mmCIF file of all heavy atoms in Angstrom:
data_model
loop_
_atom_site.group_PDB
_atom_site.id
_atom_site.type_symbol
_atom_site.label_atom_id
_atom_site.label_comp_id
_atom_site.label_asym_id
_atom_site.label_seq_id
_atom_site.Cartn_x
_atom_site.Cartn_y
_atom_site.Cartn_z
ATOM 1 N N SER A 350 -242.685 146.608 -59.846
ATOM 2 C CA SER A 350 -243.131 145.498 -58.926
ATOM 3 C C SER A 350 -243.177 145.976 -57.449
ATOM 4 O O SER A 350 -244.056 145.458 -56.709
ATOM 5 C CB SER A 350 -242.130 144.342 -59.055
ATOM 6 O OG SER A 350 -240.819 144.725 -58.843
ATOM 7 N N PRO A 351 -242.345 146.921 -57.003
ATOM 8 C CA PRO A 351 -242.515 147.377 -55.594
ATOM 9 C C PRO A 351 -243.725 148.254 -55.313
ATOM 10 O O PRO A 351 -244.089 148.487 -54.166
ATOM 11 C CB PRO A 351 -241.198 148.142 -55.331
ATOM 12 C CG PRO A 351 -240.293 147.815 -56.436
ATOM 13 C CD PRO A 351 -241.151 147.530 -57.581
ATOM 14 N N ILE A 352 -244.361 148.749 -56.413
ATOM 15 C CA ILE A 352 -245.497 149.652 -56.241
ATOM 16 C C ILE A 352 -246.739 148.839 -55.856
ATOM 17 O O ILE A 352 -247.106 147.904 -56.555
ATOM 18 C CB ILE A 352 -245.758 150.438 -57.519
ATOM 19 C CG1 ILE A 352 -244.506 151.261 -57.901
ATOM 20 C CG2 ILE A 352 -246.946 151.383 -57.360
ATOM 21 C CD1 ILE A 352 -244.600 151.963 -59.249
ATOM 22 N N PRO A 353 -247.447 149.185 -54.775
ATOM 23 C CA PRO A 353 -248.608 148.396 -54.354
ATOM 24 C C PRO A 353 -249.743 148.493 -55.377
ATOM 25 O O PRO A 353 -249.920 149.483 -56.042
ATOM 26 C CB PRO A 353 -249.029 149.109 -53.033
ATOM 27 C CG PRO A 353 -247.877 149.907 -52.637
ATOM 28 C CD PRO A 353 -247.100 150.292 -53.850
ATOM 29 N N GLY A 354 -250.462 147.382 -55.493
ATOM 30 C CA GLY A 354 -251.666 147.367 -56.311
ATOM 31 C C GLY A 354 -251.457 147.215 -57.848
ATOM 32 O O GLY A 354 -252.373 147.375 -58.611
ATOM 33 N N ILE A 355 -250.221 146.890 -58.228
ATOM 34 C CA ILE A 355 -249.938 146.722 -59.642
ATOM 35 C C ILE A 355 -250.233 145.286 -60.097
ATOM 36 O O ILE A 355 -249.814 144.340 -59.470
ATOM 37 C CB ILE A 355 -248.445 147.012 -59.959
ATOM 38 C CG1 ILE A 355 -248.107 148.480 -59.640
ATOM 39 C CG2 ILE A 355 -248.126 146.706 -61.416
ATOM 40 C CD1 ILE A 355 -248.901 149.455 -60.446
ATOM 41 N N ASN A 356 -251.026 145.165 -61.142
ATOM 42 C CA ASN A 356 -251.350 143.857 -61.701
ATOM 43 C C ASN A 356 -250.325 143.568 -62.770
ATOM 44 O O ASN A 356 -250.279 144.204 -63.812
ATOM 45 C CB ASN A 356 -252.746 143.862 -62.324
ATOM 46 C CG ASN A 356 -253.213 142.478 -62.704
ATOM 47 O OD1 ASN A 356 -252.545 141.799 -63.502
ATOM 48 N ND2 ASN A 356 -254.331 142.000 -62.181
ATOM 49 N N MET A 357 -249.476 142.560 -62.525
ATOM 50 C CA MET A 357 -248.359 142.261 -63.465
ATOM 51 C C MET A 357 -248.851 141.724 -64.803
ATOM 52 O O MET A 357 -248.167 141.852 -65.807
ATOM 53 C CB MET A 357 -247.407 141.242 -62.804
ATOM 54 C CG MET A 357 -246.568 141.885 -61.724
ATOM 55 S SD MET A 357 -245.635 143.333 -62.346
ATOM 56 C CE MET A 357 -244.282 143.424 -61.231
ATOM 57 N N LEU A 358 -250.033 141.116 -64.837
ATOM 58 C CA LEU A 358 -250.586 140.610 -66.074
ATOM 59 C C LEU A 358 -250.897 141.819 -67.011
ATOM 60 O O LEU A 358 -250.578 141.779 -68.197
ATOM 61 C CB LEU A 358 -251.856 139.801 -65.864
ATOM 62 C CG LEU A 358 -252.673 139.393 -67.139
ATOM 63 C CD1 LEU A 358 -251.763 138.515 -68.011
ATOM 64 C CD2 LEU A 358 -253.929 138.662 -66.730
ATOM 65 N N VAL A 359 -251.484 142.862 -66.454
ATOM 66 C CA VAL A 359 -251.789 144.042 -67.226
ATOM 67 C C VAL A 359 -250.468 144.733 -67.709
ATOM 68 O O VAL A 359 -250.368 145.139 -68.842
ATOM 69 C CB VAL A 359 -252.648 145.076 -66.398
ATOM 70 C CG1 VAL A 359 -252.917 146.298 -67.226
ATOM 71 C CG2 VAL A 359 -253.901 144.403 -65.932
ATOM 72 N N ALA A 360 -249.483 144.809 -66.789
ATOM 73 C CA ALA A 360 -248.212 145.353 -67.147
ATOM 74 C C ALA A 360 -247.543 144.586 -68.296
ATOM 75 O O ALA A 360 -246.943 145.154 -69.223
ATOM 76 C CB ALA A 360 -247.295 145.426 -65.950
ATOM 77 N N ALA A 361 -247.652 143.229 -68.225
ATOM 78 C CA ALA A 361 -247.074 142.391 -69.267
ATOM 79 C C ALA A 361 -247.765 142.670 -70.600
ATOM 80 O O ALA A 361 -247.062 142.771 -71.659
ATOM 81 C CB ALA A 361 -247.156 140.932 -68.865
#
Side-chain angles (χ1 to χ4, degrees):
S350 56
I352 301 174
I355 297 298
N356 189 303
M357 286 305 204
L358 172 61
V359 180

